[in-house]
Amino acid sequence: MEPTTLTTDRLTLDTFRPEDLDEVLAHCQDPDIQRWTTVPSPYVRQDAEFFLNRIVPDGWRNDTEYTFAVRLRQGGPILAAAALHHPRSGSWEVGFWTAKEHRGRGYMTETVLALARWAFKDLACTRLEWRAEVGNVGSLATAEKAGFRIEGVLRAALPNKGVLRDSWVGSLLPSDLGLPGSLPYLPAPQAAPRSAPPSAPAFEA
């Protein structure tokens, strides 16, 4: 796919450009971004170059990861980064980070919802997943504000810097946004798995 541009009331989502290198390098020095995402730590200039020159264009070219830089519609610095990646049986996963000085303004919730609508309408996405390491309350807050249903905890599901970590997982369906799905959905009856005691919850959440 050729890189595309999405807009919201306040934001423009478009692809990263080589001239964004210094901004990406600066934002990824943030200890929170290094702690809670899979960006390298320490993050050096070569990492930003690899991201801009290989990861971003290869993802679009191979239809495996669509990465966006988030800016205000009137222009200005990069506020955040967000991506849809790893299609599995029609589902995609969203990932994101927000520059420290631009947090708390709802930019990422707005971004995630724009990506979700695009994925459901144009990519035939059947289910959009969100995952984050247990404890990443900022990412959790964004997911909940965007309408994701938090489904539980996956053990040892998130490799980050050589360590397997437990991961929260949540999902957003087209119907959650009032959109038609590309396939009909038949929910399972609300019953606990046979292996679980009657009094135990079906999932750890």
Side-chain angles (χ1 to χ4, degrees):
M1 180 183 289
E2 289 296 318
T4 190
T5 298
L6 307 174
T7 57
T8 71
D9 290 342
R10 297 184 295 171
L11 306 173
T12 295
L13 286 63
D14 59 11
T15 191
F16 281 90
R17 301 181 288 267
E19 55 266 32
D20 295 327
L21 190 148
D22 288 338
E23 280 192 87
V24 171
L25 178 61
H27 289 321
C28 290
Q29 301 309 307
D30 180 359
D32 287 333
I33 290 177
Q34 292 190 16
R35 169 64 181 86
W36 294 112
T37 77
T38 57
V39 304
S41 180
Y43 195 91
V44 299
R45 192 173 188 83
Q46 289 81 357
D47 297 317
E49 290 173 343
F50 185 72
F51 173 72
L52 294 171
N53 298 327
R54 291 289 303 279
I55 293 177
V56 172
D58 286 356
W60 283 97
R61 186 180 305 113
N62 300 324
D63 289 319
T64 56
E65 183 164 9
Y66 303 139
T67 304
F68 294 85
V70 181
R71 299 176 174 87
L72 292 174
R73 289 190 68 162
Q74 62 266 34
I78 293 171
L79 308 178
L84 297 174
H85 57 277
H86 306 312
R88 294 183 299 274
S89 301
S91 67
W92 287 73
E93 182 178 337
V94 64
F96 49 82
W97 56 255
T98 304
K100 187 172 185 178
E101 63 271 25
H102 298 296
R103 293 172 192 159
R105 303 179 190 180
Y107 292 145
M108 188 48 65
T109 301
E110 196 170 320
T111 293
V112 169
L113 285 170
L115 290 179
R117 293 188 181 98
W118 178 61
F120 293 141
K121 291 179 179 179
D122 293 2
L123 305 180
C125 177
T126 57
R127 166 186 163 95
L128 185 61
E129 292 187 356
W130 159 88
R131 299 178 188 227
E133 183 182 336
V134 172
N136 188 349
V137 294
S139 185
L140 174 63
T142 295
E144 291 181 327
K145 289 175 184 176
F148 281 76
R149 179 177 295 183
I150 310 306
E151 297 173 329
V153 173
L154 304 177
R155 296 185 302 160
L158 199 157
N160 189 1
K161 301 172 183 66
V163 178
L164 288 171
R165 304 171 187 272
D166 291 344
S167 170
W168 283 319
V169 62
S171 70
L172 192 68
L173 303 182
S175 58
D176 296 330
L177 300 182
L179 298 173
S182 58
L183 292 172
Y185 169 44
L186 181 62
Q190 296 298 310
R194 290 184 179 180
S195 59
S199 59
F203 297 95
E204 182 180 1

